[in-house]
Amino acid sequence: MRGIAAVPSYVVMQPTTLCNLDCVYCYLPLRAADRRMPLTVAEAVAASVNPWAASGRFSVVWHGGEPLAAGREHLAALLAPFGPAVEHHVQTNATLIDDAWCAFFAKHGIRVSVSVDGPRARNGERVTRGGRPAYDRILAGVAALRRHGLPFSALAVVSRPEPGLATELYDYFLDLGCDVLGINIEETEGVNTRTNARDAAAVTGFWAELVGAWRRDPRIHLREIEWSLRYAGAVLAGTADDLLPRQLDPIPTVSHDGSVVVLSPELAGFTDPRYGDFSSGNVLTAPLAEILAGAGRTPWVGEFLTGVEACRSSCPYFGFCGGGHAANRYFELGRFDGTETEHCRNSKIRLLEGVLEHARDHESPAA
């Protein structure tokens, strides 16, 4: 895996910077402002995306802010330039979902992912702009999805791993009705400056416990655990080198104003005296395909690729994570060519170690 691919597997689009919630751990810098993406930006992106989608599976992920805060009329206008082969996904806090939104999702074939951190007591940091708990509104949105028979994924943030939490969360999401679950250990990122340093044994134990909960009733696709098991199986089969792509997916994030940030959506909206606004171009002045072809010449991207090579030569977990994420390096280390971060430890190293710990503790005794 070397360099950046010229064609991504998906594009992240920001229909609005606005979010109607004010979650304590949120990384977004402009979530109190309603800066909406003009139609010209969507048209420019679609001009590159539609040919890519015609050649194979391709997704557009609508991610804010809160994408639904853009409104159905505006979001429909942004969807219109994309061809029928494009798959659409939306990451939402679900508080605005009602019957009308469910009809909208069904009409446009949009796959929904809901951000929710587990039962009521685990959602204390997901609050409205007035500081009130958002949990009941989240559940009302999920109930609407279920009422309309719309499948959905879930994404949970874990701030304080502790014994028993993994089982509690997994059982909760079984009852919630999602078919895919992703777990993020809270990250120090963007405007969230809280430390993400966690006790190693607690995090490893959390992941090991989560494997056990999933194995007892594997009805949900558990993103992190299934990837870890796939990697472990490939190592045993001697095929681990085939798991990572030959080149990094550029994961272009198109901000509301058309600027394009590659590799890490979390960098969009930020500026730095050394790196500027982190963008590699703007779709209103250059085709997205052209921007991605030249993304490797963006100064901070070159520094990040140097860091990836440092990981390759120094970290035994490189084959599992592929060198980590640019935004975690920047927000934790202040630069892009560093190597290990707390995010690496929590969500890569200890994840894999937790899976292996569970395997060791539950292996069959020798005959």
Side-chain angles (χ1 to χ4, degrees), residues 255-280:
S255 299
H256 67 97
D257 61 357
S259 60
V260 179
V261 173
V262 299
L263 297 172
S264 283
E266 300 84 359
L267 292 170
F270 290 91
T271 59
D272 182 277
R274 293 161 294 170
Y275 308 114
D277 65 1
F278 299 103
S279 72
S280 295

Side-chain angles (χ1 to χ4, degrees), residues 339-355:
T339 53
E340 190 173 310
T341 63
E342 291 294 346
H343 174 71
C344 291
R345 298 181 188 107
N346 291 333
S347 299
K348 304 296 181 181
I349 296 172
R350 291 164 191 162
L351 164 61
L352 187 57
E353 289 178 348
V355 170

Side-chain angles (χ1 to χ4, degrees), residues 5 28-29 40 71 88 94 109-110 151 201-202 213 218 251 257 260 264 289 312 329 341:
L28 291 166
T40 50
H88 292 280
I110 298 175
I251 316 175
D257 61 357
V260 179
S264 283
R312 187 195 306 274
R329 294 174 192 241
T341 63

Side-chain angles (χ1 to χ4, degrees), residues 227-246:
W227 164 245
S228 302
L229 292 173
R230 190 158 57 248
Y231 174 76
V235 170
L236 293 174
T239 59
D241 287 345
D242 297 332
L243 282 181
L244 292 176
R246 296 299 93 190

Side-chain angles (χ1 to χ4, degrees), residues 79-237:
L79 290 166
F82 294 94
V86 177
E87 298 179 10
H88 292 280
H89 301 250
V90 63
Q91 184 67 46
T92 174
N93 60 40
T95 60
L96 300 176
I97 296 177
D98 56 13
D99 292 336
W101 271 112
C102 288
F104 182 91
F105 299 147
K107 176 182 178 181
H108 295 282
I110 298 175
R111 171 73 195 209
V112 179
S113 179
V114 172
S115 298
V116 57
D117 297 338
R120 184 184 302 276
R122 302 291 182 181
N123 273 266
E125 296 186 324
R126 299 190 63 77
V127 295
T128 67
R129 298 218 149 266
R132 298 181 63 81
Y135 185 70
D136 288 337
R137 294 174 61 185
I138 295 170
L139 280 197
V142 170
L145 292 171
R146 296 186 65 168
R147 190 164 61 247
H148 287 265
L150 295 175
F152 64 97
S153 306
L155 183 63
V157 173
V158 171
S159 296
R160 291 170 292 277
E162 58 190 16
L165 175 59
T167 301
E168 177 187 352
L169 289 179
Y170 189 75
D171 289 346
Y172 171 83
F173 285 105
L174 278 175
D175 291 339
L176 192 70
C178 63
D179 54 9
V180 179
L181 173 62
I183 300 285
N184 289 344
I185 304 294
E186 182 182 342
E187 302 170 41
T188 301
E189 204 166 52
V191 298
N192 179 26
T193 59
R194 301 195 308 188
T195 180
N196 62 338
R198 298 287 182 265
D199 178 75
V203 178
T204 302
F206 170 83
W207 290 120
E209 182 185 325
L210 188 60
V211 180
W214 175 76
R215 288 189 65 191
R216 286 193 296 274
D217 191 354
R219 280 180 286 151
I220 296 176
H221 288 292
L222 198 48
R223 186 183 65 182
E224 289 77 17
I225 300 305
E226 293 186 28
W227 164 245
S228 302
L229 292 173
R230 190 158 57 248
Y231 174 76
V235 170
L236 293 174

